[in-house]
Amino acid sequence: MQSESSADSPPFATLPVRWPAMSVALSELVAYLDQVLDARSGGDYAPNGLQVEGRPEVRKVVTGVSACLELFERAAEAGADAVMVHHGIFWKGMPYRLTGVQFRRVEALVRSGMSLVAYHLPLDRHPQLGNNALAARAFGLADLTPFAPVEGLPTGFKGRFPQPIPAEELVERCRRVFGREPLVFAGGPPRVSTLGLVSGGAQKEIYRALDEGLDAFLTGEVSEWVMNLAREGGLHYLAAGHYATEVLGIRALGEHVAERFGVEAEFVDVPNPV
């Protein structure tokens, strides 16, 4: 081992320094996320928290919107110890058997030693890290308040623009925030003062938006009956994509975990046009 640097060596301060990622116990990570996201409050359509147990220590987390084989394979290639998603692999009403597609997903996790951690409605409704709160702030809304109870707790947020904005500007902000062209039913006023947001497939919440007199409502998906309802109710309806409206939260959660525990976090995009 060389104890002294030579005169030709560059000074230590100019050398690149790469600190190894720290690690956190899987049990500690999940317990922390359960608490921060208040994962045991309210109902849901899926189990929140740890869905598949892998290695006991986590040095790298890969985040993604929806659990799927492609995400798991890319996470394994990236050296992940755990995969964190918004949409897990277990849902109410699905078959209990691990066969076919479901077996191949679980097999990919088990063979790679990766854990799967999922948070659904808790990640929609969180006031700092949630899909809807992050989107509402990105739109420039003020006076945010919880909106649209789902399974016992408000899931979305509504707010007011500091100054009314043209309807065209609302659509442009939607493009910028979610990175895609929304489907728009422009039935509302020329200038928009209020907006409600519920990410994902919340088209039925248009009724609540109408009842509360909002100028505009944004969610991920749309059904055939929505168009006439929005037009006749005098409401702007924006469908920005289920996947696209739920990227913000899981990405922010990964960044939060990296900062909190010193582990590495990487978002893996598996685009979905829906």
Side-chain angles (χ1 to χ4, degrees):
M1 180 176 181
Q2 187 173 347
S3 60
E4 297 181 2
S5 60
S6 68
D8 295 332
S9 300
F12 178 78
T14 66
L15 295 176
V17 179
R18 296 182 179 177
W19 299 103
M22 298 176 64
S23 67
V24 59
L26 175 64
S27 58
E28 180 182 354
L29 174 62
V30 174
Y32 173 79
L33 292 174
D34 284 353
Q35 180 180 18
V36 165
L37 297 175
D38 195 18
R40 300 296 174 248
S41 296
D44 211 327
Y45 313 113
N48 289 297
L50 185 62
Q51 291 196 347
V52 178
E53 184 176 2
R55 284 185 285 273
E57 290 290 320
V58 176
R59 289 177 173 80
K60 180 170 183 176
V61 172
V62 157
T63 58
V65 175
S66 299
C68 63
L69 191 58
E70 180 181 345
L71 176 63
F72 297 160
E73 290 173 346
R74 291 171 62 183
E77 291 173 0
D81 301 299
V83 181
M84 290 182 0
V85 296
H86 181 51
H87 301 134
I89 60 175
F90 300 109
W91 298 90
K92 288 181 180 178
M94 67 181 297
Y96 294 123
R97 298 181 296 276
L98 285 179
T99 59
V101 170
Q102 194 74 334
F103 170 77
R104 290 191 290 275
R105 289 175 170 180
V106 173
E107 180 187 34
L109 291 166
V110 172
R111 285 187 180 276
S112 64
M114 296 185 302
S115 300
L116 177 64
V117 185
Y119 292 98
H120 187 229
L121 294 182
L123 193 58
D124 286 322
R125 64 175 176 250
H126 195 272
Q128 284 81 41
L129 299 170
N131 291 313
N132 296 298
L134 289 169
R137 294 188 179 96
F139 269 82
L141 291 174
D143 303 324
L144 294 184
T145 56
F147 171 69
V150 177
E151 292 292 305
L153 289 173
T155 300
F157 281 86
K158 64 179 179 179
R160 180 177 299 275
F161 292 103
Q163 298 293 331
I165 64 172
E168 296 79 10
E169 173 61 20
L170 176 66
V171 176
E172 178 56 33
R173 293 188 189 188
C174 184
R175 294 189 188 102
R176 292 200 302 264
V177 171
F178 299 119
R180 59 170 288 169
E181 187 70 27
L183 178 62
V184 180
F185 300 140
R191 299 186 69 83
V192 178
S193 296
T194 55
L195 172 66
L197 304 98
V198 184
S199 60
Q203 50 265 50
K204 290 183 179 179
E205 297 305 322
I206 186 177
Y207 290 108
R208 190 170 301 276
L210 290 170
D211 287 344
E212 298 193 16
L214 298 180
D215 293 334
F217 175 65
L218 184 150
T219 187
E221 297 184 19
V222 64
S223 297
E224 186 276 338
W225 52 267
V226 169
M227 182 185 74
N228 291 326
L229 188 61
R231 288 177 175 177
E232 295 167 20
L235 177 79
H236 295 296
Y237 185 101
L238 293 83
H242 195 134
Y243 179 93
T245 58
E246 298 190 323
V247 169
L248 296 176
I250 195 64
R251 195 164 196 164
L253 188 63
E255 293 169 356
H256 177 77
V257 165
E259 182 177 357
R260 175 67 174 79
F261 294 104
V263 300
E264 186 179 353
E266 178 183 348
F267 175 75
V268 171
D269 190 21
V270 184
N272 188 329
V274 176

